[in-house]
Amino acid sequence: MLASVIGTAFLVGGIFFFTAGTVGLLRFPDALTRMHATTKCDTLGAGLVLVGLTFFEGGSMYLVLKVILLIIFLWVTTPAAAHYMARAVYRTREGHKHASGN
Amino acid sequence: MSRYMRLIGWTLALFVLWMLFAQSADIQSLITGWLVAALVTYVNRDLLLSFANDLHINRGNLSAWLTYAGYLIIDVFKASVQVAELAFARRIALNPQFVAHESKLKEPMMRVFLANSITLTPGTISVEAPVQGEFIVHALMDGAAAGLRDWHIENLLVEIERRH
């Protein structure tokens, strides 16, 4: 019972941050500001959902270790992907500035 | 530790990872896991050997790495709450800008950690993270990048780099 309550709290938290990220993606004005929304909120959202799921599955040692590995993997790859996309946007903008003589 | 022993260590680590995900200890899983772990280690031997060195993971630095992980988790929470506040605000008050940041870190791997940390913390995303020279950071609003000056996470990474 307690595990379900804690698990649900984590899941609700995760869904809240996923929703915030999506709303930010829709409302923020340009590519780079939208990336702030998706990168940060999705990273935390995914982490919270994964932690929440371990409570529903009984929290076996295997599962906890798997979830920790998945969270580490997400927290390494998400910012790396965001960095590459941000760099592409930045270089495209800078390229346009140079091309137009600004 | 010799190169050979370190490669065995990597094979063992990958094998443990295989067993963790396979969740099965039958003979087929054990043999396949060991063969795959050995093959992956062999193909990536140069990368794996330099990777362990570059990360500076040793007994002396373990507490610093754990502190770094703790700080990062707190900052990811702060960053997500900040973005959620902005996303749900009636009027979105942003002043996006690019800011140059001169890092004290010298080693490429530590600079990668800094770039990742910048992206996961409130109001900033790393845009350019060169091996040498200034980072270019995208900040959501005035003052977001000011926190990068004398930043506790960067100071921790500098400490880890210095101790090596």
Side-chain angles (χ1 to χ4, degrees):
Chain A
M1 177 65 186
L2 183 65
S4 297
V5 172
I6 298 171
T8 306
F10 274 103
L11 282 181
V12 169
I15 291 166
F16 169 77
F17 283 112
F18 271 127
T19 310
T22 310
V23 172
L25 177 70
L26 294 170
R27 290 191 72 200
F28 286 179
D30 62 18
L32 285 166
T33 49
R34 286 172 179 173
M35 286 182 56
H36 282 267
T38 52
T39 308
K40 292 158 210 268
C41 286
D42 287 5
T43 308
L44 183 61
L48 291 176
V49 167
L50 284 169
V51 171
L53 288 177
T54 58
F55 284 93
F56 284 101
E57 292 296 320
S60 73
M61 190 65 177
Y62 266 132
L63 191 66
V64 171
L65 280 172
K66 267 188 196 178
V67 164
I68 290 171
L69 282 171
L70 281 173
I71 291 174
I72 291 173
F73 183 73
L74 273 175
W75 285 28
V76 170
T77 53
T78 307
H83 169 76
Y84 276 109
M85 284 189 268
R87 192 173 71 170
V89 174
Y90 176 72
R91 288 187 180 177
T92 308
R93 280 189 192 176
E94 289 298 299
H96 284 175
K97 269 190 207 168
H98 288 302
S100 61
N102 290 325
Chain B
M1 201 188 294
S2 75
R3 180 186 158 87
Y4 183 68
M5 287 306 289
R6 281 163 65 195
L7 285 175
I8 298 258
W10 270 112
T11 308
L12 197 62
L14 292 175
F15 177 68
V16 169
L17 197 65
W18 170 282
M19 294 306 294
L20 190 64
F21 282 102
Q23 276 194 30
S24 149
D26 60 38
I27 192 77
Q28 186 187 353
S29 181
L30 291 172
I31 293 172
T32 318
W34 187 257
L35 286 176
V36 170
L39 183 69
V40 170
T41 307
Y42 178 74
V43 172
N44 297 292
R45 57 192 179 282
D46 294 333
L47 179 72
L48 291 175
L49 287 173
S50 68
F51 186 64
N53 268 347
D54 294 346
L55 276 182
H56 302 324
I57 293 178
N58 54 45
R59 212 170 292 165
N61 276 337
L62 198 60
S63 66
W65 277 117
L66 290 175
T67 313
Y68 166 78
Y71 278 147
L72 196 63
I73 290 169
I74 293 167
D75 274 10
V76 168
F77 266 93
K78 280 188 198 164
S80 303
V81 170
Q82 184 201 47
V83 170
E85 279 174 2
L86 286 167
F88 292 124
R90 191 164 291 182
R91 227 180 118 262
I92 298 177
L94 299 177
N95 184 17
Q97 54 201 275
F98 291 108
V99 181
H101 172 66
E102 187 66 58
S103 172
K104 291 170 257 179
L105 290 162
K106 302 272 185 293
E107 296 182 18
M109 183 61 85
M110 303 310 281
R111 289 170 73 90
V112 169
F113 271 94
L114 179 65
N116 262 23
S117 310
I118 288 172
T119 300
L120 286 178
T121 49
T124 52
I125 279 187
S126 66
V127 175
E128 289 279 5
V131 176
Q132 288 176 328
E134 288 180 329
F135 281 63
I136 305 289
V137 175
H138 183 263
L140 263 187
M141 58 195 73
D142 296 329
L148 293 179
R149 271 182 243 121
D150 204 29
W151 189 30
H152 56 283
I153 286 190
E154 184 175 4
N155 291 341
L156 205 54
L157 290 172
V158 169
E159 180 70 15
I160 291 169
E161 189 182 70
R162 195 180 56 78
R163 272 193 215 165
H164 185 61

